[in-house]
């Protein structure tokens, strides 16, 4: 069983390396789709109360999705979308090695953020599942049953974003030749036009150096 599993892993690695460009593109599209669903779902919980009616407890605290979690979930959705969009953009318009390295680092940060959201909203869903009805000032306070599936969905989507993000980060490193512009990175010209430009510039430099050497030889001859 262990030998078969190792063989499957080796075949999977070979498949990914042979089709790394397609794998990266599919992964980024999956991340974009999940990020869009995450952001749409996040708008359904902004400022929502955990209980119905929305009342304070004995300590004067309001059980609802406060400003902090609301801001975190909206900002997270925006970061997830930007991470996938920039990746797809860099596959079309190449960038420098510095920008590509910064993007890989930002992708790792987005993956860590997805893990944080997965744990946080999982805890919120667990809390909603364990909350019970209680009486407050003669009113029966019930748990908002519509929030539990939303919290659970956010946690599940965040876990998927974390899994695909963890797969995407090393894939970005392997596919750096599809992201980095060779001209901006100082490697070599990428097109025939750029090659002609560099050749013309080099030829001009050589001609100028030759002229300066001739002038220097003439000056030395006159001085003698």
């Amino acid at each position: 069983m262990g030998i078969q599993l190792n063989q499957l892993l080796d075949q999977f690695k070979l498949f990914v390396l042979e089709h790394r460009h397609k794998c990266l593109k599919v992964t980024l599209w999956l991340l974009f789709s999940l990020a869009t669903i995450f952001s749409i779902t996040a708008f359904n919980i902004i400022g929502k109360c955990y209980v119905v009616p929305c009342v304070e407890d004995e300590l004067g605290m309001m059980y609802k999705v406060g400003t902090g979690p609301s801001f975190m979930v909206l900002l997270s959705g925006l970061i997830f979308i930007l991470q996938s969009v920039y990746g797809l953009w860099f596959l079309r318009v190449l960038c420098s090695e510095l920008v590509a390295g910064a993007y890989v680092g930002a992708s790792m940060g987005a993956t860590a953020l997805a893990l944080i959201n997965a744990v946080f909203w999982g805890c919120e869903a667990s809390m909603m599942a364990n909350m019970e009805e209680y009486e407050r000032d003669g009113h029966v306070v019930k748990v908002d049953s519509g929030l539990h599936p939303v919290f659970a969905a956010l946690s599940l989507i965040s876990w998927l974003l974390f899994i695909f993000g963890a797969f995407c980060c090393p894939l970005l490193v392997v596919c750096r030749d599809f992201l980095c512009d060779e001209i901006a990175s100082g490697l070599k010209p990428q097109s025939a036009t750029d090659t002609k430009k560099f050749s013309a510039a080099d030829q001009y430099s050589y001609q100028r150096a030759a002229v300066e050497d001739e002038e220097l030889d003439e000056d030395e001859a006159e001085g003698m």
Side-chain angles (χ1 to χ4, degrees), residues 22 42 76 88 91 99 107-108 114 124 137 153 156 170 173 184 190 196 198 208-209 213 219:
K22 292 182 179 180
S76 298
L88 293 170
L91 286 178
V99 175
S107 298
M108 293 180 180
E124 293 288 296
D137 297 332
L156 176 60
V173 177
Q190 188 176 5
K196 293 179 180 179
F198 279 95
R208 183 175 180 181
D213 291 339
D219 293 338

Side-chain angles (χ1 to χ4, degrees), residues 9-203:
L9 290 175
D10 292 337
Q11 292 177 359
F12 177 73
K13 291 178 181 178
L14 290 175
F15 175 82
V16 171
L17 291 175
E18 291 177 359
H19 305 85
R20 52 199 175 100
H21 183 266
K22 292 182 179 180
C23 290
L24 178 60
K25 195 171 184 179
V26 170
T27 303
L28 288 172
W29 276 113
L30 283 173
L31 288 173
F32 175 75
S33 302
L34 290 171
T36 304
I37 298 173
F38 180 91
S39 298
I40 294 174
T41 307
F43 278 103
N44 295 324
I45 64 169
I46 303 302
K48 290 291 186 68
C49 288
Y50 297 151
V51 294
V52 179
C54 191
V55 295
E56 297 179 350
D57 62 1
E58 296 178 354
L59 300 177
M61 297 179 62
M62 188 75 72
Y63 290 121
K64 68 175 185 178
V65 182
T67 305
S70 299
F71 176 76
M72 182 192 72
V73 71
L74 290 178
L75 181 62
S76 298
L78 178 61
I79 292 175
F80 296 150
I81 290 176
L82 289 177
Q83 186 262 339
S84 55
V85 168
Y86 271 107
L88 293 170
W89 175 254
F90 288 149
L91 286 178
R92 294 175 58 89
V93 180
L94 301 179
C95 61
S96 66
E97 285 185 341
L98 179 62
V99 175
Y103 174 70
V104 174
S107 298
M108 293 180 180
T111 303
L113 183 61
L115 178 60
I116 294 173
N117 276 275
V119 174
F120 179 82
W121 296 113
C123 293
E124 293 288 296
S126 178
M127 180 192 69
M128 294 298 297
N130 296 324
M131 287 183 67
E132 298 179 354
E133 298 180 0
Y134 64 94
E135 186 175 350
R136 172 75 174 168
D137 297 332
H139 299 282
V140 177
V141 180
K142 299 181 179 181
V143 179
D144 189 352
S145 58
L147 284 181
H148 178 266
V150 179
F151 289 159
L154 284 175
S155 179
L156 176 60
I157 297 170
S158 297
W159 278 116
L160 292 175
L161 284 167
F162 171 73
I163 293 172
F164 286 108
F167 175 73
C168 182
C169 289
L171 196 59
L172 286 170
V173 177
V174 176
C175 296
R176 60 186 180 275
D177 53 326
F178 293 108
L179 299 173
C180 299
D181 185 0
E182 293 177 341
I183 300 174
S185 304
L187 298 179
K188 62 181 180 180
Q190 188 176 5
S191 63
T193 304
D194 297 323
T195 303
K196 293 179 180 179
K197 290 181 180 179
F198 279 95
S199 299
D202 292 340
Q203 184 178 4

